[in-house]
């Protein structure tokens, strides 16, 4: 019978031994915007114009897609978990945005 498959931390690249604790994660970032343009009203013609600009632009469609939906899964080691937890923790006190 084969043992568990080897794991590698996706953050630091360290190999995680089968006897070590590791953390599995799924991270999804989804872009949202409540109002396209407060002055324009968002008519069908305006939306079609925006779509044409995007199609004609120099940006890679995958890059544009990742600005709206980005998803990653994997495992991380305990040290990297601590960094992630600190990064995603709500700010303490009156700290402003980054």
């Amino acid at each position: 019978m084969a043992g568990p498959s080897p794991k590698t931390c996706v953050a630091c690249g360290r190999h995680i031994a089968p006897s070590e604790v590791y953390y599995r994660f799924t991270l999804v970032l989804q872009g949202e915007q409540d109002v396209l343009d407060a002055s324009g009203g968002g008519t069908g013609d305006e939306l079609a114009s925006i779509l044409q600009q995007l199609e004609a632009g120099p940006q890679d469609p995958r890059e544009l897609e990742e600005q709206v939906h980005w998803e990653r899964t994997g495992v991380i080691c305990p040290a990297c978990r601590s960094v992630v937890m600190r990064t995603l923790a709500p700010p303490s006190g009156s700290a402003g945005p980054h």
Side-chain angles (χ1 to χ4, degrees):
M1 174 182 253
S5 62
K7 309 266 187 302
T8 301
C9 176
V10 298
C12 69
R14 186 173 74 79
H15 294 289
I16 302 170
S19 61
E20 287 184 86
V21 172
Y22 63 90
Y23 299 88
R24 186 169 305 282
F25 73 91
T26 299
L27 178 62
V28 178
L29 302 177
Q30 294 178 322
E32 295 185 9
Q33 187 172 353
D34 292 334
V35 178
L36 284 177
D37 183 1
S39 63
T43 66
D45 290 340
E46 290 170 344
L47 294 175
S49 173
I50 291 170
L51 184 57
Q52 285 178 340
Q53 289 174 5
L54 290 173
E55 289 173 345
Q59 293 119 331
D60 178 10
R62 287 174 289 171
E63 182 181 321
L64 292 172
E65 189 175 305
E66 283 194 351
Q67 289 178 15
V68 177
H69 182 90
W70 185 85
E71 187 170 335
R72 295 294 182 270
T73 61
V75 297
I76 56 176
C77 67
C80 289
R81 177 191 179 270
S82 297
V83 172
V84 170
M85 296 299 288
R86 281 193 310 270
T87 302
L88 296 178
S92 59
S94 62
H98 43 274

PDB file of all heavy atoms in Angstrom, residues 75-91:
ATOM      1  N   VAL A  75      -2.048  23.753  -1.076  1.00  0.00           N
ATOM      2  CA  VAL A  75      -1.698  23.533   0.322  1.00  0.00           C
ATOM      3  C   VAL A  75      -0.552  24.467   0.691  1.00  0.00           C
ATOM      4  O   VAL A  75       0.263  24.835  -0.152  1.00  0.00           O
ATOM      5  CB  VAL A  75      -1.305  22.063   0.614  1.00  0.00           C
ATOM      6  CG1 VAL A  75      -2.468  21.125   0.358  1.00  0.00           C
ATOM      7  CG2 VAL A  75      -0.093  21.639  -0.185  1.00  0.00           C
ATOM      8  N   ILE A  76      -0.535  24.860   1.962  1.00  0.00           N
ATOM      9  CA  ILE A  76       0.537  25.698   2.479  1.00  0.00           C
ATOM     10  C   ILE A  76       1.046  25.124   3.795  1.00  0.00           C
ATOM     11  O   ILE A  76       0.332  24.398   4.495  1.00  0.00           O
ATOM     12  CB  ILE A  76       0.111  27.172   2.672  1.00  0.00           C
ATOM     13  CG1 ILE A  76      -1.114  27.289   3.572  1.00  0.00           C
ATOM     14  CG2 ILE A  76      -0.136  27.843   1.331  1.00  0.00           C
ATOM     15  CD1 ILE A  76      -1.523  28.719   3.883  1.00  0.00           C
ATOM     16  N   CYS A  77       2.290  25.469   4.108  1.00  0.00           N
ATOM     17  CA  CYS A  77       2.914  25.000   5.347  1.00  0.00           C
ATOM     18  C   CYS A  77       2.479  25.903   6.512  1.00  0.00           C
ATOM     19  O   CYS A  77       1.897  26.969   6.298  1.00  0.00           O
ATOM     20  CB  CYS A  77       4.438  25.008   5.189  1.00  0.00           C
ATOM     21  SG  CYS A  77       5.158  26.655   5.018  1.00  0.00           S
ATOM     22  N   PRO A  78       2.746  25.508   7.755  1.00  0.00           N
ATOM     23  CA  PRO A  78       2.342  26.313   8.906  1.00  0.00           C
ATOM     24  C   PRO A  78       2.929  27.737   8.903  1.00  0.00           C
ATOM     25  O   PRO A  78       2.240  28.692   9.274  1.00  0.00           O
ATOM     26  CB  PRO A  78       2.858  25.512  10.103  1.00  0.00           C
ATOM     27  CG  PRO A  78       2.867  24.097   9.617  1.00  0.00           C
ATOM     28  CD  PRO A  78       3.268  24.190   8.177  1.00  0.00           C
ATOM     29  N   ALA A  79       4.177  27.913   8.473  1.00  0.00           N
ATOM     30  CA  ALA A  79       4.778  29.250   8.458  1.00  0.00           C
ATOM     31  C   ALA A  79       4.039  30.161   7.473  1.00  0.00           C
ATOM     32  O   ALA A  79       3.738  31.320   7.782  1.00  0.00           O
ATOM     33  CB  ALA A  79       6.253  29.167   8.116  1.00  0.00           C
ATOM     34  N   CYS A  80       3.730  29.652   6.303  1.00  0.00           N
ATOM     35  CA  CYS A  80       3.019  30.458   5.309  1.00  0.00           C
ATOM     36  C   CYS A  80       1.571  30.699   5.733  1.00  0.00           C
ATOM     37  O   CYS A  80       1.001  31.744   5.433  1.00  0.00           O
ATOM     38  CB  CYS A  80       3.094  29.805   3.942  1.00  0.00           C
ATOM     39  SG  CYS A  80       4.762  29.899   3.228  1.00  0.00           S
ATOM     40  N   ARG A  81       0.991  29.765   6.457  1.00  0.00           N
ATOM     41  CA  ARG A  81      -0.363  29.976   6.981  1.00  0.00           C
ATOM     42  C   ARG A  81      -0.370  31.193   7.894  1.00  0.00           C
ATOM     43  O   ARG A  81      -1.279  32.023   7.830  1.00  0.00           O
ATOM     44  CB  ARG A  81      -0.848  28.755   7.742  1.00  0.00           C
ATOM     45  CG  ARG A  81      -2.221  28.965   8.372  1.00  0.00           C
ATOM     46  CD  ARG A  81      -2.564  27.837   9.353  1.00  0.00           C
ATOM     47  NE  ARG A  81      -3.847  28.048   9.969  1.00  0.00           N
ATOM     48  CZ  ARG A  81      -4.046  28.720  11.104  1.00  0.00           C
ATOM     49  NH1 ARG A  81      -3.021  29.260  11.743  1.00  0.00           N
ATOM     50  NH2 ARG A  81      -5.254  28.861  11.600  1.00  0.00           N
ATOM     51  N   SER A  82       0.646  31.330   8.737  1.00  0.00           N
ATOM     52  CA  SER A  82       0.722  32.481   9.638  1.00  0.00           C
ATOM     53  C   SER A  82       0.769  33.793   8.862  1.00  0.00           C
ATOM     54  O   SER A  82       0.117  34.765   9.225  1.00  0.00           O
ATOM     55  CB  SER A  82       1.956  32.378  10.539  1.00  0.00           C
ATOM     56  OG  SER A  82       1.858  31.254  11.363  1.00  0.00           O
ATOM     57  N   VAL A  83       1.530  33.810   7.771  1.00  0.00           N
ATOM     58  CA  VAL A  83       1.627  35.015   6.940  1.00  0.00           C
ATOM     59  C   VAL A  83       0.278  35.331   6.311  1.00  0.00           C
ATOM     60  O   VAL A  83      -0.173  36.486   6.316  1.00  0.00           O
ATOM     61  CB  VAL A  83       2.711  34.843   5.853  1.00  0.00           C
ATOM     62  CG1 VAL A  83       2.694  35.999   4.873  1.00  0.00           C
ATOM     63  CG2 VAL A  83       4.077  34.693   6.484  1.00  0.00           C
ATOM     64  N   VAL A  84      -0.396  34.324   5.776  1.00  0.00           N
ATOM     65  CA  VAL A  84      -1.705  34.526   5.155  1.00  0.00           C
ATOM     66  C   VAL A  84      -2.708  35.030   6.188  1.00  0.00           C
ATOM     67  O   VAL A  84      -3.472  35.964   5.907  1.00  0.00           O
ATOM     68  CB  VAL A  84      -2.202  33.223   4.490  1.00  0.00           C
ATOM     69  CG1 VAL A  84      -3.659  33.337   4.057  1.00  0.00           C
ATOM     70  CG2 VAL A  84      -1.325  32.860   3.308  1.00  0.00           C
ATOM     71  N   MET A  85      -2.706  34.444   7.354  1.00  0.00           N
ATOM     72  CA  MET A  85      -3.649  34.851   8.396  1.00  0.00           C
ATOM     73  C   MET A  85      -3.423  36.311   8.800  1.00  0.00           C
ATOM     74  O   MET A  85      -4.381  37.057   8.994  1.00  0.00           O
ATOM     75  CB  MET A  85      -3.535  33.929   9.614  1.00  0.00           C
ATOM     76  CG  MET A  85      -3.912  32.482   9.326  1.00  0.00           C
ATOM     77  SD  MET A  85      -5.610  32.256   8.784  1.00  0.00           S
ATOM     78  CE  MET A  85      -6.468  32.555  10.302  1.00  0.00           C
ATOM     79  N   ARG A  86      -2.155  36.722   8.929  1.00  0.00           N
ATOM     80  CA  ARG A  86      -1.864  38.125   9.262  1.00  0.00           C
ATOM     81  C   ARG A  86      -2.293  39.050   8.127  1.00  0.00           C
ATOM     82  O   ARG A  86      -2.823  40.135   8.361  1.00  0.00           O
ATOM     83  CB  ARG A  86      -0.370  38.325   9.546  1.00  0.00           C
ATOM     84  CG  ARG A  86       0.056  37.890  10.925  1.00  0.00           C
ATOM     85  CD  ARG A  86       1.451  38.406  11.261  1.00  0.00           C
ATOM     86  NE  ARG A  86       2.457  38.142  10.241  1.00  0.00           N
ATOM     87  CZ  ARG A  86       3.228  37.062  10.168  1.00  0.00           C
ATOM     88  NH1 ARG A  86       3.102  36.112  11.083  1.00  0.00           N
ATOM     89  NH2 ARG A  86       4.120  36.913   9.217  1.00  0.00           N
ATOM     90  N   THR A  87      -2.056  38.638   6.891  1.00  0.00           N
ATOM     91  CA  THR A  87      -2.387  39.465   5.734  1.00  0.00           C
ATOM     92  C   THR A  87      -3.891  39.676   5.606  1.00  0.00           C
ATOM     93  O   THR A  87      -4.341  40.772   5.277  1.00  0.00           O
ATOM     94  CB  THR A  87      -1.850  38.820   4.438  1.00  0.00           C
ATOM     95  OG1 THR A  87      -0.433  38.659   4.567  1.00  0.00           O
ATOM     96  CG2 THR A  87      -2.161  39.650   3.225  1.00  0.00           C
ATOM     97  N   LEU A  88      -4.674  38.642   5.861  1.00  0.00           N
ATOM     98  CA  LEU A  88      -6.116  38.714   5.661  1.00  0.00           C
ATOM     99  C   LEU A  88      -6.897  39.098   6.918  1.00  0.00           C
ATOM    100  O   LEU A  88      -8.124  39.227   6.859  1.00  0.00           O
ATOM    101  CB  LEU A  88      -6.635  37.380   5.113  1.00  0.00           C
ATOM    102  CG  LEU A  88      -6.103  36.995   3.733  1.00  0.00           C
ATOM    103  CD1 LEU A  88      -6.638  35.633   3.315  1.00  0.00           C
ATOM    104  CD2 LEU A  88      -6.438  38.048   2.698  1.00  0.00           C
ATOM    105  N   ALA A  89      -6.208  39.284   8.042  1.00  0.00           N
ATOM    106  CA  ALA A  89      -6.887  39.668   9.281  1.00  0.00           C
ATOM    107  C   ALA A  89      -7.375  41.112   9.173  1.00  0.00           C
ATOM    108  O   ALA A  89      -6.734  41.946   8.531  1.00  0.00           O
ATOM    109  CB  ALA A  89      -5.944  39.522  10.464  1.00  0.00           C
ATOM    110  N   PRO A  90      -8.511  41.420   9.777  1.00  0.00           N
ATOM    111  CA  PRO A  90      -8.984  42.796   9.761  1.00  0.00           C
ATOM    112  C   PRO A  90      -7.969  43.704  10.451  1.00  0.00           C
ATOM    113  O   PRO A  90      -7.315  43.290  11.417  1.00  0.00           O
ATOM    114  CB  PRO A  90     -10.288  42.765  10.539  1.00  0.00           C
ATOM    115  CG  PRO A  90     -10.541  41.355  10.929  1.00  0.00           C
ATOM    116  CD  PRO A  90      -9.385  40.529  10.523  1.00  0.00           C
ATOM    117  N   PRO A  91      -7.823  44.927   9.973  1.00  0.00           N
ATOM    118  CA  PRO A  91      -6.866  45.837  10.588  1.00  0.00           C
ATOM    119  C   PRO A  91      -7.268  46.149  12.024  1.00  0.00           C
ATOM    120  O   PRO A  91      -8.445  46.258  12.337  1.00  0.00           O
ATOM    121  CB  PRO A  91      -6.906  47.081   9.713  1.00  0.00           C
ATOM    122  CG  PRO A  91      -8.151  46.983   8.912  1.00  0.00           C
ATOM    123  CD  PRO A  91      -8.540  45.533   8.872  1.00  0.00           C
TER     124      PRO A  91
END
